[in-house]
Amino acid sequence: MEDGCGREINYLRISVTERCNQHCVYCMPAVPKGRPCEGMPAEDIIEVVQQAVPLGFTKFRLTGGEPLMRPDILRICEGIAETDGVQELTMTTNAQKLGEMAADLKHAGLQRVNISLDTLDSKKYRRISGGNIREVLQGMEAAYRSGLTPIKINAVLLGGINDDEIYKMVELTRSCPLELRFIELMPIGPAAHFPKSRFLPCSAVLDAVQDLIPVSGGETEGVARMYQLPGGKGKVGLISPLSCEFCDRCNRIRLTADGCLKPCLHSNEEIRLRGLRGQQLQWALKLAIAHKPERHGELDAQHPSPAARAMNQIGG
Ligand code: SAM
Ligand code: SF4
């Protein structure tokens, strides 16, 4: 369905829980406000998808918090995957539990995964996220073996923390057929209080790796501008939310774990749909599409996101 700015909105990102088995410094508040929301019942999430499809939604992503913390995540995947009209079902995960779950997820209808990995250094990984990098690597391998491909790696650019690894990470795409996506740190949740030096523009990647070349003359994949090393098997995507450069092709709305639709990540406007059924869900979805702003306001260290929620609640 088209929004008021002529954008075709066909992508719903669903946060299935606020809970997480990690605690990334830029994402989870150090002191959470109350208990994290466990998420909507699986059948309610599936019903939202069933009502979204007739409005033209074809792409769905499960996120969180950590989606693999949901004991019924396989049921959620199955219910969405078997809904007529669903063309794409993907997940963003920290991969801590992916090694043991990848095959079942594929069997349940999940098509591919984005795995978050900001560093290749195990100590730094633990400092940033509190997690274990070995699990991530095992998860990646299991995802590859199970056919949850092509795998995309999400790396948040953190000035003074992982910018010294940009070259090494990009080198991975020379021999591995993966898409490494660098994402500008957004001043939201705990990151809203980070010093200016932590915020790097995506151009830092092009400065660090000068032989990166635009893929087929500036191809974009969703919100990413695509690059490649000469002869590289993989690709490098640059995602620049701070510059607002993808607002005019934004095709998504978000569903928070506690059942609110967010027309824009960086706005406080929300439409509550928890408790709604059938046609009422379609009205809520239409309202969210109609309320999508043309673009978000200025975002940088001095201008934090007006969104009152942290990323683990919204789902990124
Ligand atoms: N737990 C899963 C994971 O980490 O992949 C899914 C949820 S997480 C909120 C989704 C994505 O949001 C992750 O790739 C994470 O790095 C990113 N993210 C979280 N906080 C961010 C911030 N302040 N700026 C940019 N990206 C952020
Ligand atoms: Fe958890 Fe993902 Fe947020 Fe890290 S980025 S704290 S893994 S929800």
Side-chain angles (χ1 to χ4, degrees), residues 60-132:
F60 298 87
R61 174 174 297 275
L62 304 175
T63 173
E66 174 48 40
L68 298 183
M69 295 289 283
R70 283 276 306 231
D72 52 359
I73 192 67
L74 295 177
R75 169 67 202 133
I76 296 174
C77 288
E78 263 165 21
I80 297 178
E82 68 195 15
T83 300
D84 280 344
V86 170
Q87 289 175 11
E88 209 177 287
L89 175 61
T90 57
M91 179 183 286
T92 304
T93 172
N94 63 27
Q96 291 293 301
K97 288 162 74 90
L98 191 58
E100 61 201 79
M101 296 181 72
D104 290 342
L105 287 163
K106 178 72 185 178
H107 195 64
L110 188 72
Q111 291 166 354
R112 55 182 181 76
V113 283
N114 284 25
I115 295 176
S116 300
L117 180 65
D118 303 328
T119 172
L120 301 175
D121 177 305
S122 57
K123 289 199 183 102
K124 219 190 269 185
Y125 184 83
R126 188 169 286 286
R127 276 208 306 279
I128 296 171
S129 71
N132 184 343

Side-chain angles (χ1 to χ4, degrees), residues 1 12 47-53 55 57 253 261 271 273 276 279-291:
M1 188 180 151
L12 180 64
E47 190 181 358
V48 174
V49 171
Q50 288 166 345
Q51 294 299 329
V53 167
L55 298 180
F57 285 86
I253 59 171
L261 288 169
I271 291 131
L273 59 62
L276 303 184
Q279 188 72 39
Q280 296 169 324
L281 286 169
Q282 286 202 6
W283 292 334
L285 286 158
K286 283 182 187 169
L287 202 60
I289 294 172
H291 279 235

Side-chain angles (χ1 to χ4, degrees), residues 221-263:
E221 239 169 62
V223 293
R225 265 180 300 131
M226 301 307 300
Y227 293 82
Q228 209 164 18
L229 286 171
K233 289 202 174 127
K235 290 182 188 170
V236 176
L238 302 185
I239 303 182
S240 309
L242 296 198
S243 62
C244 218
E245 66 173 22
F246 59 71
C247 290
D248 57 358
R249 49 177 202 281
C250 184
N251 61 347
R252 60 197 61 189
I253 59 171
R254 295 173 165 81
L255 176 59
T256 63
D258 61 354
C260 292
L261 288 169
K262 278 187 82 68

Side-chain angles (χ1 to χ4, degrees), residues 17-28 63-67 92-96 116 118 125 128-129 156 311-313 315:
T17 179
E18 288 176 12
R19 290 180 63 219
C20 190
N21 46 1
Q22 295 201 146
H23 205 121
C24 299
V25 287
Y26 48 74
C27 176
M28 290 275 259
T63 173
E66 174 48 40
T92 304
T93 172
N94 63 27
Q96 291 293 301
S116 300
D118 303 328
Y125 184 83
I128 296 171
S129 71
V156 177
M311 283 291 250
N312 70 301
Q313 298 177 300

